[in-house]
Amino acid sequence: MSTNHAASSENVAPEPRPAEVPYFFREQCAGLVVKGNFMTLAQKPIYVELGEWLGHQVVEQYRLLESQLKIIQEKDSTGLPICSPVSCPSMSAAGQIYTWLDKDGKPDRVPASLYIGRLQKWIIGKIEDQHLFPTGTVTLAPMSPTSSSYMTAGGSNTPGTQTPIAAGPTTSNLPLSTLAGSELRDWVGKASGFPEQFEADIKSIYRQMMRCYAHVFYAHWLDPFYNLGAEKTLNTCFIHFVTVGKLYRLLSDKDLEPMQPLVDIWLVQGLLPTEVTVAQSPATPGPPTPGSAGKQKMDDANVPVGTAS
């Protein structure tokens, strides 16, 4: 009897061990340095044009991200940056590797530090492009800090009011069918002097910033952020970023997939908007469906060639 029991026991497959949940996806590690949600900072003031507000938000969110990237760009005891070709040979998050398009338009897997450096130059090039970001629309007022760590990174800035004057109506006598160009088309930011591709460009910028946040969490949350006691500041910068991204539809559900478990925690806590109720794009009316935990695996994603050589 015992022999038969032993034989049958050997044929029973052991139950699989559940995958360990990363610390940053646990509720006890999802804390912030400020209380409440970020709708107050993300909500567009009534008398500010949408394009101007989005221009301000993109610049502000890049400042916050840059403050977190500086931490992983510091050198460790080996004399190398914390995020280096040795520690991070690829730009990855959640098992996904992001590639950079080389000068020939071919995807190139590069170390995360090189990817991030190129991406920062690419974003700065966009922000400093006077055609894409007219100077008056991204002038920021001085900060009025209310919480040391987060606000030091620039989280409380408000937009400037130097909105460019829109061009007057055309005096052409041509028929409307001939004039069916930019004069008759509408787009986000047109009234403030932003170009027609502005919305597409800021969505691209936002998507790339999301990849940086995902890499920072997956590769560097424990060291250095948790070890330095800076994980709440990282969370706070990220939830502000996601609030703006969801509210103005700058991020898709697929973009958020690598960090969806953390987003879900904040949704349950009422810290993130569950649907878009304001600031709809002219081309995309109606609220989106709230994202669910990542159920589709992202494909390798490419970045446009930036300003880096």
Side-chain angles (χ1 to χ4, degrees), residues 127-280:
I127 291 174
E128 293 182 349
D129 184 340
Q130 293 300 301
H131 175 64
L132 181 60
F133 280 82
T135 303
T137 65
V138 294
T139 301
L140 302 179
M143 292 185 295
S144 32
T146 58
S147 179
S148 58
S149 299
Y150 172 66
M151 295 306 179
T152 300
S156 63
N157 287 350
T158 54
T161 57
Q162 302 173 6
T163 305
I165 299 175
T170 179
T171 57
S172 174
N173 293 320
L174 295 174
L176 288 178
S177 59
T178 304
L179 291 172
S182 62
E183 293 88 352
L184 298 182
R185 293 194 301 273
D186 194 15
W187 60 82
V188 172
K190 180 179 181 180
S192 293
F194 289 95
E196 191 168 357
Q197 75 273 17
F198 173 69
E199 185 177 13
D201 279 339
I202 61 174
K203 284 184 177 180
S204 181
I205 292 171
Y206 225 79
R207 185 166 56 252
Q208 306 309 329
M209 291 196 290
M210 176 64 209
R211 294 173 183 173
C212 287
Y213 270 117
H215 175 75
V216 167
F217 272 93
Y218 276 89
H220 303 290
W221 183 87
L222 182 61
D223 185 20
F225 288 93
Y226 180 79
N227 289 342
L228 292 175
E231 76 281 2
K232 287 186 177 181
T233 301
L234 174 61
N235 287 344
T236 305
C237 290
F238 183 58
I239 194 174
H240 189 180
F241 172 83
V242 173
T243 300
V244 173
K246 287 179 66 66
L247 187 61
Y248 299 101
R249 305 185 75 171
L250 300 179
L251 291 171
S252 68
D253 289 345
K254 186 172 183 178
D255 295 329
L256 286 167
E257 276 184 1
M259 298 301 299
Q260 191 64 53
L262 180 56
V263 170
D264 287 341
I265 290 173
W266 289 331
L267 283 170
V268 171
Q269 294 175 343
L271 299 179
L272 283 173
T274 57
E275 63 179 22
V276 175
T277 56
V278 296
Q280 296 296 336

Side-chain angles (χ1 to χ4, degrees), residues 10 27 90 106 130 145 189 261:
E10 292 177 356
E27 187 171 1
S90 63
K106 297 179 180 179
Q130 293 300 301

